[in-house]
Amino acid sequence: MSFGNVSAVLVHGAWADGSSWGKVIDRLKEQGINAIAAPLPLTSLRDDVAALDRVLERIEGPVVLAGHAYAGAVIGSTRAGNIAALVYVAALAPDEGETVSDVFYRGETHPQSPQLAPDRHGWIWLPQEAFAQAFAQDATPQEVAVLAAVQRPISVSCISEAVGRPLWKERPSWFLVAEQDRMINPANQHDMARRMNARVRSYQTDHTPVVTAADAVTHVIVEAVESVSAR
């Protein structure tokens, strides 16, 4: 199938960088879809949205915008005119007036979910052992080692800024629910997807399916791209 000039822009979450999308990028390119990973500074929600907007400015044609985890708040906060659809991957989707922290801590936490607190500089790091225990328990030891080695901390400002009217109220959206997620309660994911009126795709995967279930993530993104292409 021809996807025309539809591009996929992929946005990483906290404690990660664009390389976390590597497997998905390979699979999308194999199907003829232009895929770009947008780098976020993780310094504040406002800064992250601005960084995403700079990437989107460089792309001609419609965009399917996919965000993992924290990046759900970022993709919902942009106002770029070329976004045709949104894909949430085990992501957070705050509504107007809510913060990332509000939705992240909603519901029961998993027993192996890490205790998180900012350091004296206002940065939140993921404890080393949490990568194998909660962030990506389905990953190989080699994948866990790389994820831990390249982790980027997130500023408290990212999770404490209230969002405006989210873009998912105006664009079609898909939501990949990670049923074995130990970071964001799967029931919470279902609740967010429901109020978004998103197309829900449920998989038995951990919090980081962009690494551990790349085929599933790719399938959902391709579904969104096909929908945009068919218009």
Side-chain angles (χ1 to χ4, degrees), residues 112-128:
Q112 288 176 281
S113 177
Q115 294 294 314
L116 300 171
D119 64 15
R120 63 189 180 92
H121 304 290
W123 294 98
I124 303 170
W125 295 82
L126 194 67
Q128 193 84 0

Side-chain angles (χ1 to χ4, degrees), residues 104-105 110-116 126-127 129-130 134-135 182-183:
F104 180 74
Y105 287 107
H110 192 277
Q112 288 176 281
S113 177
Q115 294 294 314
L116 300 171
L126 194 67
E129 65 276 7
F135 192 77
R182 297 176 182 174
M183 297 290 294

Side-chain angles (χ1 to χ4, degrees), residues 5-142:
N5 63 339
V6 181
S7 297
V9 173
L10 316 172
V11 191
H12 66 85
W15 311 302
D17 62 16
S19 67
S20 61
W21 287 95
K23 292 181 182 180
V24 175
I25 291 169
D26 287 344
R27 286 159 173 76
L28 290 173
K29 288 187 177 293
E30 285 171 1
Q31 299 202 42
I33 298 171
N34 180 43
I36 299 165
L40 301 183
L42 300 178
T43 47
S44 72
L45 180 59
R46 185 186 301 271
D47 290 349
D48 291 341
V49 174
L52 173 59
D53 285 344
R54 288 192 293 272
V55 172
L56 293 168
E57 282 177 10
R58 299 173 53 238
I59 300 173
E60 293 184 9
V63 169
V64 169
L65 187 56
H68 172 234
Y70 158 72
V74 181
I75 68 172
S77 296
T78 181
R79 293 295 176 266
N82 54 346
I83 300 166
L86 301 168
V87 177
Y88 287 73
V89 180
L92 295 165
D95 201 347
E96 187 169 3
E98 293 180 335
T99 68
V100 169
S101 182
D102 289 337
V103 289
F104 180 74
Y105 287 107
R106 190 168 291 157
E108 254 184 78
T109 57
H110 192 277
Q112 288 176 281
S113 177
Q115 294 294 314
L116 300 171
D119 64 15
R120 63 189 180 92
H121 304 290
W123 294 98
I124 303 170
W125 295 82
L126 194 67
Q128 193 84 0
E129 65 276 7
F131 285 93
Q133 292 177 359
F135 192 77
Q137 71 267 19
D138 296 339
T140 66
Q142 292 82 3

Side-chain angles (χ1 to χ4, degrees), residues 1 3 85 172 174 199 221-231:
M1 176 177 178
F3 298 111
W174 280 254
R199 297 163 175 83
I221 294 173
V222 169
E223 185 181 338
V225 171
E226 287 175 341
S227 174
V228 171
S229 302
R231 291 178 198 169

